Every structure is written in structure tokens, then in C-alpha cells.
Amino acid sequence: MTLLALGINYTTAPVSIRERLAFPTEILYDAVTDLCQQQHISEAAILSTCNRTEIYCATQDNNIEAVIDWISRNRQLKQTEFQPFLYAHTDNALIRHIFRVASGLESMILGEPQILGQMKTAYQTANQAGTLGKNLGKLFQHTFSTAKKVRTDTAIGSSSVSVAFAAVQLSKQIFDNLSEQTAVLIGAGETIELTARHLHQNGIGRIIIANRTYDKAHNLASQFNGYAIALSELPLHIAEADIIVSSTASQLPILGKGLVESAIKKRKHKPIFMVDLAVPRDIEPEVETLNDVFLYTVDDLQNIINDNLNSRRQAAEQAEEIIDTNVEHFLAWMKAQKVQSTIVDYRQQASQLQQESLHKALASLQNGGPPEQIMRQLAHTLTNKLIHTPCTQLRKASENERHDLIAAAREIFKL
């Protein structure tokens, strides 16, 4: 039995290939079920994210071509279209790889936590489909415990490495309780969506989203129990804002010094935390000179992110040590499984010899034979049968000068 991982990720394949090899959630169950029905594949699971697709299998003969053929049929792609982008890992390399993936060490953003949840989805789907056996099932359990230990024992996920997350973390340093604050977000793109998500997760009291296209603002605000306004209404709501984050494609500033100064007066000099993530800038630089305003630009946040990335890289070194240890633990478990089948076979053989000898002894007793003599004969016969094969094999080992087998026998039998 061989453990095999076959996949592509953001470093090996462009998005045009990754999206064609992706397995959306709604087809994942059927896909992994079909995969496990292929010849020579006894266990299977599929991890599919925007940045990677990986297929994990337990195979009888390390038949990578069979998995590639299945991918080609299932995704309706010619092998030449995707095979150059594939990578494969088996056994020891696979164990290390899956531990690193789940711990965020293989992610585009080092240490990002979402991948662990996606890995759990892959496990749960395969488990529900009945495609996990003892080997892959145990591997996933070891993977989750390893990733948890990495998160617990290192600082790999403690520092913000996106501008949206960094902005929210800064706001938490300025305001003790976000549940009492109002955030005004300007724009409706990916960065503002991430900012809204992080604020919502951190319990922000109120979210107002302003955008040139009201419908976009409304669609985004509705996801976070927020309130949408048109960009033209923004001057009416600035005074409500404790936090302002702006990220638009405007070529001219949206918030000027005069507008912010007026809002500060209406707020009776309660501070405003402002983050300008736009290039060109949405907020006039002169706003920074106002009292009670904390203004950060994308460059300010980038410095924080760079420092945090360095911190994560240092944590990644600690994570690798944890992974090394846990790889050894899983390898030890796998080795134990290999010897377990030998132990089972040996016990079955001994049990069969026992039953044969016992059957003859019972028959002799039923025929009226002397019990003591029958018991002695049973012990003699059973002992001879149990030691016959080992003795024969040891003689052959001696004839062939297999001193290693003889030494192993002395150790096994404690001679």
C-alpha cells in the first residue's frame, strides 16, 4: 500500500488551469466517491481551494497514471493540458506535505488559517462518502493535531499580513471596544469586503458602506447587517464615523481636510481612526495635521505587514520542527501497521494448530483414552507443531549463512 498525493497549486499552475481542475463543493462528494471506485484505489480524499487542488489516495501499486486518467475524464481535460503542472508526493514526502499545507506553510499568505478549515471540509466529505480507510483517516487526524500544535505553540498566525486585517488590528489598539463604534467604509471592492468581514467578526457596532454604485454598496452591506449609502451622501455621515477605511479607484481625493475638520467639530473632538488604502489616495494628506485624527496610508500598513511577515517566517522555522517530530510519529504508526498484519497471520496460524491438536485430544477422550496420557500427548504434539516451521527456517538460514535471521530469531524468542 502506498500513500499518494497528486495536485497543482498557485506556484505550479496559472489560474486558468487551477479553475478547470477545481472541484466545487456541490460535486466534491460524487467526485471522491467515483475516484475511490477506480481500480487499485482503496482510499481517497480531495482538497480543492482557489489556490490548490490536491488528491490524496491509498493505492496498491503507486499507480499515478490511473489518477491522472481519472482527472482527465472527470474534469474533461486532455492530459497534456494539465499534466505539466502536476506535482506528486508519496509516503514520507506526502506526510510532510499535508502537514505543511494544513499548517499554512504552503499558502500564498504564510500561516493563513483558512486552509485548515478547507482541509477539514475535504476530510468530512470523504468521511461521509465512505472513502476514508484506516490509513488516510489516521493521516488526517494526525494532520489536524499537527496543525493545531503549530497554531498553539508558534506565532505563525498571530500577526496580520493583509492590509484589511492590519487596519482592523490597528483600530482595536485605538478603541477598547469595537462594539460601541461605527465604521464607514468607502468602496465596495475586495479590500473593503475583507475589511467589513474582519470588523464584523470583531464585533463592530455598526457598518456604513458608501459607494458610487448604490446597489453594490447595498449588496455588500447586507452581508454584515450594515447600512448602504451613495457616495454623494458621504458628507452627511462622516461625523458618525469612529473608523473610516477607504479603498476606491477614484483619481481625486474623496475626503478633504475641510470636510473632516467639520466632522471633528460635530463629534466634539472624539477621535477618528482613518485608513487610506487607495492609490492614488482617497484622503487628502493634509487631514493628518488635524488633531483627534489618526490617519494611516497603505504604506504605513505595509511596514506593519512586512514586520509581521518576518515574525511569521521565524515562527515557520519553529513550525518545521513540530512537523518533523509529528512526521516521525506517523511513520512509527505506519510501521506498526505493517507488522500488525504479520502478528495477526502468526496468531491465526498458531490458533489453527491449536484447534487441530485439541480436536484430536477431545476425540481420544471421547473414545475412553486415559486423560493423563492424552494431555501429555496434546502438549507434546502442540509444542512440536508450533516450533517445527521456525526450526526448519533456522536450519535453512544457517545453510545459506543468513546470520542476520538467526540473530533476529534469538532476539524475537529472547534466547
Side-chain angles (χ1 to χ4, degrees):
M1 189 278 300
T2 299
L3 291 178
L4 166 69
L6 198 65
I8 59 169
N9 62 29
Y10 68 96
T11 65
T12 69
V15 66
S16 59
I17 298 296
R18 298 202 306 274
E19 63 189 5
R20 297 178 73 186
L21 260 66
F23 291 85
T25 304
E26 60 269 19
I27 70 167
L28 194 57
Y29 181 97
D30 291 337
V32 75
T33 301
D34 184 54
L35 173 59
C36 207
Q37 290 172 351
Q38 305 306 303
Q39 190 175 13
H40 305 307
I41 297 177
S42 56
E43 304 178 43
I46 300 173
L47 171 68
S48 187
T49 75
C50 58
N51 283 329
R52 73 177 63 244
T53 293
E54 294 188 346
I55 295 171
Y56 309 111
C57 299
T59 68
Q60 296 176 6
D61 53 5
N62 192 23
N63 195 337
I64 294 177
E65 288 302 322
V67 182
I68 294 175
D69 288 343
W70 178 82
I71 294 172
S72 178
R73 293 194 306 273
N74 189 277
R75 297 288 80 202
Q76 299 181 346
L77 288 170
K78 295 178 181 179
Q79 291 187 21
T80 54
E81 294 182 83
F82 66 89
Q83 192 166 354
F85 304 100
L86 290 175
Y87 51 82
H89 299 291
T90 59
D91 293 334
N92 298 18
L94 177 150
I95 298 165
R96 182 176 302 281
H97 174 75
I98 195 171
F99 286 1
R100 297 185 84 255
V101 169
S103 300
L105 299 183
E106 295 275 349
S107 297
M108 183 180 292
I109 299 176
L110 181 65
E112 58 92 6
Q114 288 82 5
I115 187 63
L116 181 56
Q118 293 162 335
M119 186 75 78
K120 288 182 177 178
T121 297
Y123 167 78
Q124 289 163 358
T125 303
N127 197 36
Q128 290 168 3
T131 63
L132 290 180
K134 180 170 64 174
N135 296 290
L136 273 187
K138 193 71 171 181
L139 176 60
F140 271 102
Q141 294 303 321
H142 272 257
T143 298
F144 299 145
S145 62
T146 299
K148 182 179 179 181
K149 189 167 182 61
V150 167
R151 294 276 163 195
T152 303
D153 294 2
T154 77
I156 196 163
S158 63
S159 305
S160 56
V161 291
S162 72
V163 289
F165 191 65
V168 174
Q169 291 300 100
L170 274 175
S171 70
K172 289 169 66 177
Q173 293 178 23
I174 294 172
F175 300 104
D176 293 333
N177 189 355
L178 290 185
S179 66
E180 299 175 358
Q181 314 305 320
T182 294
V184 172
L185 309 182
I186 307 171
E190 181 180 354
T191 299
I192 290 299
E193 180 180 352
L194 280 172
T195 304
R197 190 175 306 281
H198 289 312
L199 285 169
H200 184 69
Q201 291 172 348
N202 281 276
I204 190 71
R206 186 171 175 233
I207 293 178
I208 300 172
I209 297 180
N211 193 54
R212 293 188 191 281
T213 306
Y214 174 80
D215 287 345
K216 286 185 178 180
H218 176 73
N219 291 337
L220 183 56
S222 62
Q223 298 180 41
F224 307 105
N225 300 321
Y227 177 67
I229 61 174
L231 196 60
S232 58
E233 300 177 78
L234 186 59
L236 302 176
H237 295 273
I238 292 297
E240 302 173 43
D242 302 294
I243 300 167
I244 296 175
V245 181
S246 187
S247 179
T248 76
S250 175
Q251 296 302 302
L252 296 172
I254 292 171
L255 295 179
K257 181 181 178 182
L259 179 60
V260 176
E261 191 171 22
S262 176
I264 287 291
K265 290 179 180 177
K266 290 180 182 178
R267 291 172 58 81
K268 298 180 180 179
H269 296 279
K270 284 176 58 182
I272 301 179
F273 170 65
M274 306 180 75
V275 182
D276 189 350
L277 301 178
V279 179
R281 286 181 281 189
D282 284 339
I283 303 172
E284 286 184 348
E286 290 77 12
V287 170
E288 188 176 16
T289 64
L290 296 174
N291 293 328
D292 305 308
V293 171
F294 300 88
L295 175 61
Y296 290 82
T297 68
V298 68
D299 287 345
D300 297 324
L301 294 188
Q302 194 59 54
N303 291 332
I304 295 172
I305 290 167
N306 288 339
D307 289 342
N308 290 345
L309 273 174
N310 289 331
S311 174
R312 286 199 176 195
R313 291 188 186 103
Q314 292 172 3
E317 295 177 6
Q318 296 175 282
E320 295 286 6
E321 295 176 4
I322 293 171
I323 287 171
D324 287 343
T325 300
N326 282 273
V327 168
E328 292 301 319
H329 288 169
F330 189 74
L331 286 174
W333 178 84
M334 289 188 69
K335 290 175 182 176
Q337 302 315 298
K338 291 178 182 178
V339 76
Q340 186 64 28
S341 63
T342 301
I343 292 172
V344 169
D345 291 344
Y346 183 59
R347 284 184 174 275
Q348 288 177 344
Q349 184 187 69
S351 179
Q352 184 178 351
L353 294 174
Q354 177 199 61
Q355 291 301 317
E356 290 172 356
S357 299
L358 181 61
H359 178 73
K360 290 181 180 180
L362 291 173
S364 296
L365 285 172
Q366 289 174 356
N367 290 331
E372 183 177 346
Q373 181 181 342
I374 292 171
M375 291 296 292
R376 290 181 183 279
Q377 184 63 33
L378 170 62
H380 177 75
T381 302
L382 183 57
T383 300
N384 279 344
K385 286 185 176 182
L386 287 172
I387 68 174
H388 173 73
T389 299
C391 288
T392 300
Q393 294 300 107
L394 281 170
R395 289 190 186 97
K396 288 183 180 180
S398 179
E399 291 169 3
N400 297 323
E401 297 185 353
R402 289 294 308 276
H403 304 296
D404 57 324
L405 286 181
I406 296 171
R410 295 193 68 86
E411 183 174 350
I412 289 171
F413 296 120
K414 292 187 176 181
L415 300 177

